[in-house]
PDB file of all heavy atoms in Angstrom:
ATOM      1  N   SER A   1      60.916  98.461-129.789  1.00  0.00           N
ATOM      2  CA  SER A   1      61.528  99.764-129.604  1.00  0.00           C
ATOM      3  C   SER A   1      63.031  99.625-129.643  1.00  0.00           C
ATOM      4  O   SER A   1      63.572  98.547-129.406  1.00  0.00           O
ATOM      5  CB  SER A   1      61.082 100.358-128.266  1.00  0.00           C
ATOM      6  OG  SER A   1      61.489  99.519-127.208  1.00  0.00           O
ATOM      7  N   PRO A   2      63.751 100.707-129.919  1.00  0.00           N
ATOM      8  CA  PRO A   2      65.203 100.615-130.002  1.00  0.00           C
ATOM      9  C   PRO A   2      65.846 100.128-128.723  1.00  0.00           C
ATOM     10  O   PRO A   2      66.923  99.561-128.742  1.00  0.00           O
ATOM     11  CB  PRO A   2      65.625 102.063-130.327  1.00  0.00           C
ATOM     12  CG  PRO A   2      64.436 102.664-130.969  1.00  0.00           C
ATOM     13  CD  PRO A   2      63.253 102.018-130.337  1.00  0.00           C
ATOM     14  N   GLY A   3      65.178 100.345-127.586  1.00  0.00           N
ATOM     15  CA  GLY A   3      65.779  99.932-126.329  1.00  0.00           C
ATOM     16  C   GLY A   3      65.386  98.557-125.881  1.00  0.00           C
ATOM     17  O   GLY A   3      65.746  98.125-124.786  1.00  0.00           O
ATOM     18  N   SER A   4      64.610  97.811-126.712  1.00  0.00           N
ATOM     19  CA  SER A   4      64.149  96.492-126.292  1.00  0.00           C
ATOM     20  C   SER A   4      65.257  95.477-126.477  1.00  0.00           C
ATOM     21  O   SER A   4      66.087  95.597-127.373  1.00  0.00           O
ATOM     22  CB  SER A   4      62.919  96.086-127.102  1.00  0.00           C
ATOM     23  OG  SER A   4      63.235  96.048-128.464  1.00  0.00           O
ATOM     24  N   PRO A   5      65.284  94.423-125.642  1.00  0.00           N
ATOM     25  CA  PRO A   5      66.327  93.412-125.764  1.00  0.00           C
ATOM     26  C   PRO A   5      66.250  92.709-127.104  1.00  0.00           C
ATOM     27  O   PRO A   5      65.176  92.418-127.619  1.00  0.00           O
ATOM     28  CB  PRO A   5      66.022  92.453-124.604  1.00  0.00           C
ATOM     29  CG  PRO A   5      65.185  93.244-123.663  1.00  0.00           C
ATOM     30  CD  PRO A   5      64.415  94.202-124.502  1.00  0.00           C
ATOM     31  N   GLY A   6      67.400  92.392-127.684  1.00  0.00           N
ATOM     32  CA  GLY A   6      67.440  91.662-128.940  1.00  0.00           C
ATOM     33  C   GLY A   6      67.262  92.516-130.155  1.00  0.00           C
ATOM     34  O   GLY A   6      67.185  92.015-131.273  1.00  0.00           O
ATOM     35  N   CYS A   7      67.153  93.828-129.985  1.00  0.00           N
ATOM     36  CA  CYS A   7      66.965  94.720-131.127  1.00  0.00           C
ATOM     37  C   CYS A   7      68.290  95.392-131.444  1.00  0.00           C
ATOM     38  O   CYS A   7      69.040  95.771-130.539  1.00  0.00           O
ATOM     39  CB  CYS A   7      65.908  95.784-130.813  1.00  0.00           C
ATOM     40  SG  CYS A   7      65.589  96.915-132.175  1.00  0.00           S
ATOM     41  N   ALA A   8      68.581  95.538-132.726  1.00  0.00           N
ATOM     42  CA  ALA A   8      69.842  96.144-133.125  1.00  0.00           C
ATOM     43  C   ALA A   8      69.913  97.573-132.624  1.00  0.00           C
ATOM     44  O   ALA A   8      68.954  98.336-132.745  1.00  0.00           O
ATOM     45  CB  ALA A   8      69.980  96.109-134.654  1.00  0.00           C
ATOM     46  N   GLY A   9      71.045  97.936-132.085  1.00  0.00           N
ATOM     47  CA  GLY A   9      71.222  99.290-131.603  1.00  0.00           C
ATOM     48  C   GLY A   9      70.702  99.501-130.208  1.00  0.00           C
ATOM     49  O   GLY A   9      70.582 100.635-129.759  1.00  0.00           O
ATOM     50  N   SER A  10      70.311  98.426-129.514  1.00  0.00           N
ATOM     51  CA  SER A  10      69.803  98.593-128.164  1.00  0.00           C
ATOM     52  C   SER A  10      70.952  98.873-127.229  1.00  0.00           C
ATOM     53  O   SER A  10      72.025  98.304-127.349  1.00  0.00           O
ATOM     54  CB  SER A  10      69.057  97.323-127.727  1.00  0.00           C
ATOM     55  OG  SER A  10      69.934  96.224-127.734  1.00  0.00           O
ATOM     56  N   PRO A  11      70.754  99.748-126.253  1.00  0.00           N
ATOM     57  CA  PRO A  11      71.822 100.076-125.338  1.00  0.00           C
ATOM     58  C   PRO A  11      72.123  98.914-124.428  1.00  0.00           C
ATOM     59  O   PRO A  11      71.295  98.048-124.189  1.00  0.00           O
ATOM     60  CB  PRO A  11      71.264 101.282-124.556  1.00  0.00           C
ATOM     61  CG  PRO A  11      69.793 101.135-124.663  1.00  0.00           C
ATOM     62  CD  PRO A  11      69.540 100.513-125.998  1.00  0.00           C
ATOM     63  N   GLY A  12      73.301  98.908-123.908  1.00  0.00           N
ATOM     64  CA  GLY A  12      73.698  97.842-122.992  1.00  0.00           C
ATOM     65  C   GLY A  12      73.152  98.063-121.614  1.00  0.00           C
ATOM     66  O   GLY A  12      72.315  98.930-121.359  1.00  0.00           O
ATOM     67  N   ARG A  13      73.672  97.281-120.690  1.00  0.00           N
ATOM     68  CA  ARG A  13      73.199  97.363-119.323  1.00  0.00           C
ATOM     69  C   ARG A  13      73.529  98.717-118.704  1.00  0.00           C
ATOM     70  O   ARG A  13      72.831  99.213-117.838  1.00  0.00           O
ATOM     71  CB  ARG A  13      73.823  96.232-118.499  1.00  0.00           C
ATOM     72  CG  ARG A  13      73.341  96.161-117.053  1.00  0.00           C
ATOM     73  CD  ARG A  13      73.921  94.968-116.357  1.00  0.00           C
ATOM     74  NE  ARG A  13      73.503  93.736-116.999  1.00  0.00           N
ATOM     75  CZ  ARG A  13      72.381  93.106-116.705  1.00  0.00           C
ATOM     76  NH1 ARG A  13      71.540  93.619-115.829  1.00  0.00           N
ATOM     77  NH2 ARG A  13      72.083  91.967-117.306  1.00  0.00           N
ATOM     78  N   GLU A  14      74.659  99.338-119.204  1.00  0.00           N
ATOM     79  CA  GLU A  14      75.019 100.622-118.635  1.00  0.00           C
ATOM     80  C   GLU A  14      73.954 101.672-118.932  1.00  0.00           C
ATOM     81  O   GLU A  14      73.629 102.501-118.085  1.00  0.00           O
ATOM     82  CB  GLU A  14      76.362 101.092-119.211  1.00  0.00           C
ATOM     83  CG  GLU A  14      77.545 100.190-118.852  1.00  0.00           C
ATOM     84  CD  GLU A  14      77.625  98.974-119.774  1.00  0.00           C
ATOM     85  OE1 GLU A  14      76.762  98.868-120.678  1.00  0.00           O
ATOM     86  OE2 GLU A  14      78.535  98.145-119.597  1.00  0.00           O
ATOM     87  N   GLY A  15      73.397 101.639-120.161  1.00  0.00           N
ATOM     88  CA  GLY A  15      72.361 102.610-120.501  1.00  0.00           C
ATOM     89  C   GLY A  15      71.107 102.413-119.701  1.00  0.00           C
ATOM     90  O   GLY A  15      70.440 103.368-119.313  1.00  0.00           O
ATOM     91  N   THR A  16      70.749 101.168-119.464  1.00  0.00           N
ATOM     92  CA  THR A  16      69.535 100.930-118.693  1.00  0.00           C
ATOM     93  C   THR A  16      69.708 101.331-117.249  1.00  0.00           C
ATOM     94  O   THR A  16      68.735 101.661-116.570  1.00  0.00           O
ATOM     95  CB  THR A  16      69.152  99.443-118.769  1.00  0.00           C
ATOM     96  OG1 THR A  16      70.241  98.661-118.272  1.00  0.00           O
ATOM     97  CG2 THR A  16      68.859  99.041-120.204  1.00  0.00           C
ATOM     98  N   ASP A  17      70.914 101.305-116.749  1.00  0.00           N
ATOM     99  CA  ASP A  17      71.122 101.736-115.384  1.00  0.00           C
ATOM    100  C   ASP A  17      70.996 103.242-115.256  1.00  0.00           C
ATOM    101  O   ASP A  17      70.537 103.757-114.234  1.00  0.00           O
ATOM    102  CB  ASP A  17      72.519 101.305-114.898  1.00  0.00           C
ATOM    103  CG  ASP A  17      72.610  99.796-114.734  1.00  0.00           C
ATOM    104  OD1 ASP A  17      71.537  99.190-114.574  1.00  0.00           O
ATOM    105  OD2 ASP A  17      73.729  99.254-114.767  1.00  0.00           O
ATOM    106  N   GLU A  18      71.426 103.979-116.314  1.00  0.00           N
ATOM    107  CA  GLU A  18      71.345 105.427-116.240  1.00  0.00           C
ATOM    108  C   GLU A  18      69.917 105.930-116.399  1.00  0.00           C
ATOM    109  O   GLU A  18      69.493 106.858-115.733  1.00  0.00           O
ATOM    110  CB  GLU A  18      72.237 106.045-117.329  1.00  0.00           C
ATOM    111  CG  GLU A  18      73.725 105.763-117.110  1.00  0.00           C
ATOM    112  CD  GLU A  18      74.563 106.332-118.232  1.00  0.00           C
ATOM    113  OE1 GLU A  18      73.963 106.934-119.169  1.00  0.00           O
ATOM    114  OE2 GLU A  18      75.789 106.179-118.187  1.00  0.00           O
ATOM    115  N   ALA A  19      69.176 105.333-117.344  1.00  0.00           N
ATOM    116  CA  ALA A  19      67.784 105.735-117.571  1.00  0.00           C
ATOM    117  C   ALA A  19      66.894 104.563-117.212  1.00  0.00           C
ATOM    118  O   ALA A  19      66.571 103.732-118.049  1.00  0.00           O
ATOM    119  CB  ALA A  19      67.582 106.151-119.029  1.00  0.00           C
ATOM    120  N   ARG A  20      66.517 104.493-115.984  1.00  0.00           N
ATOM    121  CA  ARG A  20      65.723 103.366-115.498  1.00  0.00           C
ATOM    122  C   ARG A  20      64.304 103.488-116.028  1.00  0.00           C
ATOM    123  O   ARG A  20      63.695 104.566-115.968  1.00  0.00           O
ATOM    124  CB  ARG A  20      65.725 103.332-113.975  1.00  0.00           C
ATOM    125  CG  ARG A  20      67.128 103.234-113.388  1.00  0.00           C
ATOM    126  CD  ARG A  20      67.077 103.075-111.895  1.00  0.00           C
ATOM    127  NE  ARG A  20      66.400 101.832-111.533  1.00  0.00           N
ATOM    128  CZ  ARG A  20      66.246 101.435-110.252  1.00  0.00           C
ATOM    129  NH1 ARG A  20      66.691 102.192-109.278  1.00  0.00           N
ATOM    130  NH2 ARG A  20      65.637 100.309-109.992  1.00  0.00           N
ATOM    131  N   PRO A  21      63.737 102.416-116.514  1.00  0.00           N
ATOM    132  CA  PRO A  21      62.371 102.482-117.049  1.00  0.00           C
ATOM    133  C   PRO A  21      61.363 102.677-115.930  1.00  0.00           C
ATOM    134  O   PRO A  21      61.643 102.451-114.754  1.00  0.00           O
ATOM    135  CB  PRO A  21      62.199 101.118-117.730  1.00  0.00           C
ATOM    136  CG  PRO A  21      63.155 100.206-117.017  1.00  0.00           C
ATOM    137  CD  PRO A  21      64.327 101.065-116.640  1.00  0.00           C
ATOM    138  N   ALA A  22      60.170 103.107-116.330  1.00  0.00           N
ATOM    139  CA  ALA A  22      59.115 103.307-115.355  1.00  0.00           C
ATOM    140  C   ALA A  22      58.671 101.968-114.788  1.00  0.00           C
ATOM    141  O   ALA A  22      58.875 100.912-115.385  1.00  0.00           O
ATOM    142  CB  ALA A  22      57.934 104.027-116.015  1.00  0.00           C
ATOM    143  N   SER A  23      58.063 102.030-113.627  1.00  0.00           N
ATOM    144  CA  SER A  23      57.606 100.811-112.975  1.00  0.00           C
ATOM    145  C   SER A  23      56.475 100.181-113.778  1.00  0.00           C
ATOM    146  O   SER A  23      55.771 100.871-114.526  1.00  0.00           O
ATOM    147  CB  SER A  23      57.127 101.132-111.562  1.00  0.00           C
ATOM    148  OG  SER A  23      56.015 101.998-111.601  1.00  0.00           O
ATOM    149  N   PRO A  24      56.287  98.862-113.633  1.00  0.00           N
ATOM    150  CA  PRO A  24      55.187  98.219-114.380  1.00  0.00           C
ATOM    151  C   PRO A  24      53.829  98.819-114.062  1.00  0.00           C
ATOM    152  O   PRO A  24      52.967  98.895-114.937  1.00  0.00           O
ATOM    153  CB  PRO A  24      55.288  96.756-113.929  1.00  0.00           C
ATOM    154  CG  PRO A  24      56.716  96.584-113.501  1.00  0.00           C
ATOM    155  CD  PRO A  24      57.117  97.899-112.922  1.00  0.00           C
ATOM    156  N   ARG A  25      53.629  99.258-112.823  1.00  0.00           N
ATOM    157  CA  ARG A  25      52.325  99.828-112.476  1.00  0.00           C
ATOM    158  C   ARG A  25      52.086 101.141-113.208  1.00  0.00           C
ATOM    159  O   ARG A  25      51.000 101.368-113.758  1.00  0.00           O
ATOM    160  CB  ARG A  25      52.244 100.055-110.967  1.00  0.00           C
ATOM    161  CG  ARG A  25      50.951 100.728-110.522  1.00  0.00           C
ATOM    162  CD  ARG A  25      50.877 100.863-109.017  1.00  0.00           C
ATOM    163  NE  ARG A  25      50.881  99.556-108.372  1.00  0.00           N
ATOM    164  CZ  ARG A  25      50.816  99.388-107.043  1.00  0.00           C
ATOM    165  NH1 ARG A  25      50.760 100.451-106.255  1.00  0.00           N
ATOM    166  NH2 ARG A  25      50.809  98.177-106.527  1.00  0.00           N
ATOM    167  N   SER A  26      53.107 102.026-113.248  1.00  0.00           N
ATOM    168  CA  SER A  26      52.920 103.300-113.945  1.00  0.00           C
ATOM    169  C   SER A  26      52.759 103.093-115.447  1.00  0.00           C
ATOM    170  O   SER A  26      51.975 103.785-116.102  1.00  0.00           O
ATOM    171  CB  SER A  26      54.109 104.222-113.670  1.00  0.00           C
ATOM    172  OG  SER A  26      55.310 103.644-114.153  1.00  0.00           O
ATOM    173  N   ARG A  27      53.502 102.125-116.008  1.00  0.00           N
ATOM    174  CA  ARG A  27      53.323 101.829-117.430  1.00  0.00           C
ATOM    175  C   ARG A  27      51.928 101.301-117.704  1.00  0.00           C
ATOM    176  O   ARG A  27      51.315 101.631-118.724  1.00  0.00           O
ATOM    177  CB  ARG A  27      54.374 100.818-117.895  1.00  0.00           C
ATOM    178  CG  ARG A  27      55.782 101.381-117.977  1.00  0.00           C
ATOM    179  CD  ARG A  27      56.651 100.505-118.873  1.00  0.00           C
ATOM    180  NE  ARG A  27      56.678  99.123-118.405  1.00  0.00           N
ATOM    181  CZ  ARG A  27      57.581  98.633-117.572  1.00  0.00           C
ATOM    182  NH1 ARG A  27      58.542  99.421-117.103  1.00  0.00           N
ATOM    183  NH2 ARG A  27      57.563  97.361-117.205  1.00  0.00           N
TER     184      ARG A  27
END
C-alpha cells in the first residue's frame, strides 16, 4: 500500500502520527 514502509510516496512519521492505524486486533 502507499503507506507501507519502503514504498515510494509513503508518508513520513509525521503522517503516521496524525492518522494512526487501527489496532492489530481490529485489523
Side-chain angles (χ1 to χ4, degrees):
S1 61
S4 60
C7 181
S10 61
R13 183 176 298 273
E14 296 82 0
T16 58
D17 291 337
E18 294 177 0
R20 302 185 63 179
S23 63
R25 176 177 298 180
S26 61
R27 289 199 303 268

